[in-house]
């Protein structure tokens, strides 16, 4: 099999009469055969050639049978969680992205679906499963603590009880981690982040090897209408071609920053994938090809976080991650702002935790910016 970037660039080769980039089919509707029957495409919500090209590209990267693109990452997650039915229960790792938390606590109860948050998915046992558990939902590494869950173990456990495993793979992407190959039934990602990588489009993708689940994900596109537009599909096709290059640079930058911050007196702790325990380090090593470019740090007691933020010149203070620009945020009040105080405490997300998403700027500038801001704190 060809390498990752080669497959990204050549996924559509031979499909469009030798064109090195695919065309954009912007039509909202398609003419149908007057002699009867249906054409290949009818209406953009139900299918579009450019979106199909993007879905084919992402399925190639996932080594998946099927990938489906949605207008946002949350729409993709909603489609995966939409496979649950009234009376079902989902076991969801904690912490999770704030949008996933909202969906579990606000939307699922309206559908008669229960949720149970699991602070340590690696501690799940057969006793945690009753007849109602139909899904395990993991984020690994977790947002924003970078806790690591064993995907293969979770898959084996879920399948033993007839449940699905869904993995949010936004932080690592298929370049660094491929949950379907480890036994997951569905993987979801916010394409807004690393896949698109430039902070200028919203999108989400859900992928599976299971034909029946694929049909449900397609119906979620068709019924909800939350599909990725042709123009954004085209831009995603083009942007994802540089995914490996961008992530390599971002990971290298992150390593250099972390090394520079380890002994800084304004930083009490740094969280990276596998840093929580030896067990999680071993899990991360066996299931991923790299740590990604997100880490979090705790500002030491007595330091002024607002002074730190105000002194930043290169890093932006904003939610989101995965773009070429470096950003940081305060999860407790921003990305995880929907959490209850109890769940913030359970997830170990204090007010002084800063999530850092590293971009592709010159590493010396990034290190200098953070060191200067920490000195100001």
């Amino acid at each position: 099999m060809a390498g990752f970037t080669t497959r990204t660039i050549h996924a559509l080769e031979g499909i469009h009469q030798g064109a090195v980039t695919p065309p954009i089919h912007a039509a909202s509707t398609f003419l149908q055969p007057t002699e009867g029957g249906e054409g290949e495409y009818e209406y953009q919500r139900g299918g579009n050639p450019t979106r199909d090209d993007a879905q084919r590209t992402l399925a190639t990267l996932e080594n998946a049978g099927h990938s489906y693109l949605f207008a946002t990452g949350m729409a993709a997650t909603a489609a995966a969680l939409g496979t649950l039915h009234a009376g079902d229960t989902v076991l969801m790792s904690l912490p999770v992205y704030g949008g996933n938390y909202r969906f579990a606590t606000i939307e699922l109860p309206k559908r008669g679906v229960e949720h149970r948050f699991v602070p340590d998915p690696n501690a799940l046992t057969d006793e945690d499963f009753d007849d109602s558990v139909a899904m395990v939902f993991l984020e690994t590494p977790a947002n924003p603590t970078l806790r690591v869950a064993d995907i293969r173990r979770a898959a084996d456990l879920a399948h033993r009880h007839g449940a699905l495993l869904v993995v949010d793979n936004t932080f690592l992407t298929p370049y660094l981690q491929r949950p379907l190959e480890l036994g997951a039934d569905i993987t979801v990602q916010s394409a807004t982040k690393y896949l698109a990588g430039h902070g200028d489009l919203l999108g989400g993708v859900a992928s599976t090897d299971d034909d029946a689940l694929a049909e449900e994900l397609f119906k979620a596109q068709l019924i909800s209408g939350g599909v990725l537009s042709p123009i954004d599909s085209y831009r995603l096709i083009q942007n994802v071609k540089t995914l490996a290059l961008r992530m390599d640079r971002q990971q290298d930058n992150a390593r250099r920053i972390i090394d520079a911050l380890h002994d800084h007196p304004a930083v009490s702790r740094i969280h990276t994938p596998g840093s929580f325990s030896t067990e999680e380090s071993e899990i991360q090593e066996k299931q991923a090809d790299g740590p990604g470019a997100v880490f979090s740090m705790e500002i030491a007691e007595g330091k002024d976080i607002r002074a730190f933020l105000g002194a930043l010149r290169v890093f932006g203070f904003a939610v989101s991650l995965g773009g070429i620009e470096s950003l940081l945020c305060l999860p407790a009040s921003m990305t995880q702002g929907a959490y209850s105080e109890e769940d913030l405490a359970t997830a170990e997300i204090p007010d002084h935790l800063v999530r850092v998403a590293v971009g592709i700027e010159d590493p010396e500038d990034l290190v200098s910016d953070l060191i200067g801001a920490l000195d100001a704190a």
Side-chain angles (χ1 to χ4, degrees):
M1 180 183 292
F4 185 88
T5 298
T6 302
R7 286 184 284 126
T8 307
I9 293 171
H10 295 282
L12 303 177
E13 196 166 80
I15 294 176
H16 296 291
Q17 292 78 47
V20 295
T21 59
I24 302 174
H25 295 267
S28 60
T29 192
F30 298 82
L31 298 175
Q32 300 300 297
T34 56
E35 66 273 13
E38 297 180 354
E40 183 178 0
Y41 296 99
E42 180 181 13
Y43 190 69
Q44 189 185 119
R45 173 165 46 84
N48 172 271
T50 310
R51 190 167 75 242
D52 281 354
D53 285 343
Q55 291 176 162
R56 187 179 295 111
T57 298
L58 293 179
T60 297
L61 302 189
E62 294 272 9
N63 290 331
H66 315 271
S67 288
Y68 296 92
L69 281 164
F70 295 82
T72 67
M74 273 312 307
T77 300
L81 291 171
T83 62
L84 295 167
H85 300 90
D88 287 345
T89 297
V90 55
L91 305 180
M92 182 173 285
S93 59
L94 190 75
V96 287
Y97 168 59
N100 295 342
Y101 179 92
R102 287 190 192 92
F103 201 93
T105 57
I106 297 173
E107 182 62 27
L108 288 183
K110 297 177 185 177
R111 305 181 182 192
V113 175
E114 299 290 332
H115 68 275
R116 295 206 302 269
F117 288 126
V118 182
D120 184 4
N122 296 324
L124 281 173
T125 68
D126 292 301
E127 295 180 358
D128 293 299
F129 288 76
D130 56 34
D131 291 341
S132 74
V133 175
M135 179 183 291
V136 176
F137 186 101
L138 299 181
E139 284 185 13
T140 182
N143 181 3
T145 61
L146 288 306
R147 292 287 304 272
V148 172
D150 189 328
I151 296 172
R152 190 176 297 281
R153 179 182 183 276
D156 291 343
L157 189 58
H159 294 162
R160 191 154 65 241
H161 294 274
L164 300 176
L165 175 65
V166 178
V167 178
D168 186 326
N169 197 38
T170 297
F171 272 27
L172 295 187
T173 81
Y175 178 52
L176 298 177
Q177 181 171 266
R178 290 163 296 281
L180 297 179
E181 294 178 4
L182 298 169
D185 298 285
I186 300 174
T187 181
V188 296
Q189 296 171 80
S190 171
T192 309
K193 311 305 192 291
Y194 289 104
L195 296 181
H198 292 77
D200 58 358
L201 73 83
L202 295 181
V205 58
S207 302
T208 185
D209 276 329
D210 186 285
D211 291 343
L213 289 174
E215 183 64 23
E216 292 199 52
L217 294 174
F218 168 71
K219 287 180 180 177
Q221 282 186 324
L222 182 66
I223 294 169
S224 73
V227 294
L228 196 64
S229 73
I231 292 188
D232 282 344
S233 294
Y234 171 82
R235 292 166 68 212
L236 182 59
I237 291 168
Q238 296 303 96
N239 289 359
V240 80
K241 292 177 181 179
T242 62
L243 173 61
L245 297 176
R246 288 184 277 109
M247 289 205 79
D248 283 345
R249 171 67 174 238
Q250 288 166 300
Q251 286 193 116
D252 185 61
N253 280 355
R255 290 189 193 99
R256 294 178 67 168
I257 293 169
I258 291 167
D259 288 344
L261 297 185
H262 262 301
D263 297 323
H264 198 285
V267 178
S268 62
R269 187 177 181 186
I270 295 176
H271 302 268
T272 61
S275 66
F276 182 82
S277 67
T278 300
E279 177 194 11
E280 291 191 14
S281 177
E282 292 172 351
I283 294 169
Q284 176 70 11
E285 181 69 23
K286 74 180 181 182
Q287 72 184 18
D289 296 326
V294 177
F295 69 93
S296 58
M297 60 183 180
E298 297 184 33
I299 303 300
E301 186 177 354
K303 302 300 180 180
D304 188 338
I305 289 184
R306 292 297 162 179
F308 162 73
L309 296 173
L312 294 168
R313 296 294 179 266
V314 180
F315 277 84
F317 180 49
V319 298
S320 203
L321 57 101
I324 57 175
E325 63 287 319
S326 294
L327 301 173
L328 53 75
C329 70
L330 300 176
S333 59
M334 296 172 76
T335 54
Q336 269 73 22
Y339 276 41
S340 68
E341 290 296 325
E342 180 182 359
D343 285 335
L344 280 175
T346 300
E348 299 183 347
I349 304 174
D351 291 340
H352 58 275
L353 181 75
V354 177
R355 190 188 73 186
V356 183
V358 182
I360 66 168
E361 300 94 339
D362 293 305
E364 298 83 3
D365 294 329
L366 296 175
V367 170
S368 176
D369 194 43
L370 281 181
I371 294 293
L374 288 168
D375 290 343

